[in-house]
């Protein structure tokens, strides 16, 4: 396994969020079943204000199209609930600051 470290370089970097999601769905076909019928609307400016940083556009697109999910130990997507963005952002800020917060159900 050690010999593989640093050898797997991407062919190209995907900058378009929708193209990135399509590539992820091709790599993990089961995700398509989880995809929302309609894109969720989040108050991203409120989240980014609370976190004091901009969030990547591909993360925002993924959160808008998918509910929270986990792919083994590889990828965990947690999202706010529409209307609860500020509360979730405060939790994220605490977690990023090293503080523990109560688990959400």
């Amino acid at each position: 396994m050690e010999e593989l470290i640093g050898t797997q370089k991407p062919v190209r970097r995907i900058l378009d969020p929708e193209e990135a999601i399509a590539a992820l769905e091709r790599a993990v076909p089961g995700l398509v079943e989880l995809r929302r019928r309609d894109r969720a609307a989040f108050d991203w400016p409120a989240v980014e204000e609370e976190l004091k940083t901009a969030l990547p556009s591909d993360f925002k697109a993924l959160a808008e199209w998918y509910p929270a999910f986990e792919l083994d130990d590889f990828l965990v997507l947690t999202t706010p609930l529409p209307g609860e963005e500020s509360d979730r952002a405060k939790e994220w800020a605490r977690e990023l600051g090293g503080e523990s917060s109560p688990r959400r159900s």
Side-chain angles (χ1 to χ4, degrees), residues 17-99:
E18 299 303 323
E19 185 181 354
I21 290 174
L24 182 61
E25 288 176 341
R26 285 191 301 276
V28 186
L31 279 180
V32 175
E33 297 170 18
L34 299 175
R35 190 175 185 144
R36 291 181 172 106
R37 185 179 337 203
D38 298 311
R39 193 174 196 144
F42 295 106
D43 184 358
W44 292 120
V47 173
E48 293 170 331
E49 183 178 329
E50 184 66 40
L51 294 175
K52 296 178 180 38
T53 190
L55 294 170
S57 58
D58 56 349
F59 167 78
K60 292 188 278 190
L62 196 60
E64 290 166 357
W65 282 116
Y66 288 95
F69 69 86
E70 183 173 342
L71 295 176
D72 293 326
D73 290 331
F74 173 70
L75 174 70
V76 176
L77 176 71
T78 59
T79 63
L81 296 172
E84 297 182 13
E85 293 91 347
S86 182
D87 292 339
R88 184 64 181 125
K90 286 176 185 170
E91 281 184 38
W92 284 337
R94 281 193 302 270
E95 291 167 5
L96 290 170
E99 299 176 32

